[in-house]
Amino acid sequence: MNCLREVRKAFRLGQFSNQTMESASIVTMTHNRAYVLGDTLEAMLSLDYPPGYEVIVVNDGSTDNTREVLARFKGRIRVIDQERRGPCAARNTGIRAARHPFVIVMDDDCIPAREWLRDLMAGFDAPDVGVVSAFDVYGGTSTAFRREALEKTGLYDEEYFYYREDTDLVFRIMDAGYRAKKVR
């Protein structure tokens, strides 16, 4: 894909600042997906990306062996346990805990390629870009948000619990004057 090739070329030429590259928080919510969570976290911790990004997992009331899987990653990820409140509430918990100005939402059963985060963050090439997604321009898994845009428009609407909550959030961000982009 020409666009992806150009993004990689721009990184090699240093056209994107390290500040943007090193300022990402990946938020993953999980509920009873221990069988795939370990593989997802291994991939997230092996990304071709400069040090400084963080991985936050919100355990949304899992009753399987999710806690044992998460214990294997102690010291390498941040874990937040909460009672079962649903995907929107769990993502909001993770976003509120995020330390960086860019927050990425990634599902617990999606295993990213090594260059995933680098390619995703390259989409923030202008201050008016509020959302960048590798899934769909209207959000979903593998979607990054500029924290500033989230602060202006709010987080996920927890009334949705699940389904179309991503589209709602992206529309609100676009209504606030930000652009949404799809990469890859």
Side-chain angles (χ1 to χ4, degrees):
M1 180 179 278
N2 289 339
C3 180
L4 184 57
R5 196 170 22 250
E6 291 302 312
V7 166
R8 288 186 177 143
K9 179 180 174 185
F11 271 110
R12 284 193 303 276
L13 296 175
Q15 294 173 352
F16 296 104
S17 74
N18 282 338
Q19 173 61 29
T20 299
M21 289 180 59
E22 295 181 17
S23 301
S25 299
I26 302 170
V27 173
T28 299
M29 82 54 80
T30 192
H31 177 75
N32 291 339
R33 295 254 185 106
Y35 63 92
V36 70
L37 183 61
D39 292 337
T40 300
L41 293 176
E42 286 293 345
M44 284 183 186
L45 294 170
S46 300
L47 295 170
D48 177 22
Y49 199 79
Y53 70 93
E54 68 176 336
V55 176
I56 302 168
V57 178
V58 180
N59 181 10
D60 191 42
S62 295
T63 57
D64 63 357
N65 64 328
T66 294
R67 286 192 176 143
E68 290 82 12
V69 171
L70 292 171
R72 295 191 336 234
F73 296 91
K74 186 176 182 177
R76 297 191 291 160
I77 64 171
R78 291 173 53 204
V79 176
I80 302 170
D81 285 302
Q82 69 180 32
E83 291 181 15
R84 179 78 170 138
R85 294 178 44 216
C88 290
R91 289 180 187 132
N92 287 345
T93 297
I95 291 168
R96 286 184 191 104
R99 296 179 177 139
H100 298 299
F102 296 94
V103 181
I104 298 96
V105 173
M106 184 68 152
D107 287 350
D108 58 357
D109 62 347
C110 294
I111 299 173
R114 284 188 42 79
E115 66 279 356
W116 164 77
L117 187 55
R118 184 179 291 269
D119 294 345
L120 191 64
M121 291 299 292
F124 288 103
D125 57 0
D128 69 333
V129 176
V131 180
V132 176
S133 182
F135 181 75
D136 184 274
V137 73
Y138 300 113
T141 189
S142 189
T143 298
F145 300 94
R146 188 178 297 272
R147 177 185 288 284
E148 167 189 300
L150 291 170
E151 289 171 354
K152 286 183 180 177
T153 60
L155 305 180
Y156 286 94
D157 182 344
E158 295 179 21
E159 294 287 319
Y160 278 91
F161 187 80
Y162 187 72
Y163 192 66
R164 297 290 187 215
E165 74 284 2
D166 304 303
T167 304
D168 170 70
L169 179 56
V170 173
F171 281 164
R172 286 187 280 127
I173 290 171
M174 290 169 62
D175 285 347
Y178 291 94
R179 289 187 298 135
K181 293 174 60 177
K182 183 177 184 292
V183 294
R184 267 190 180 202

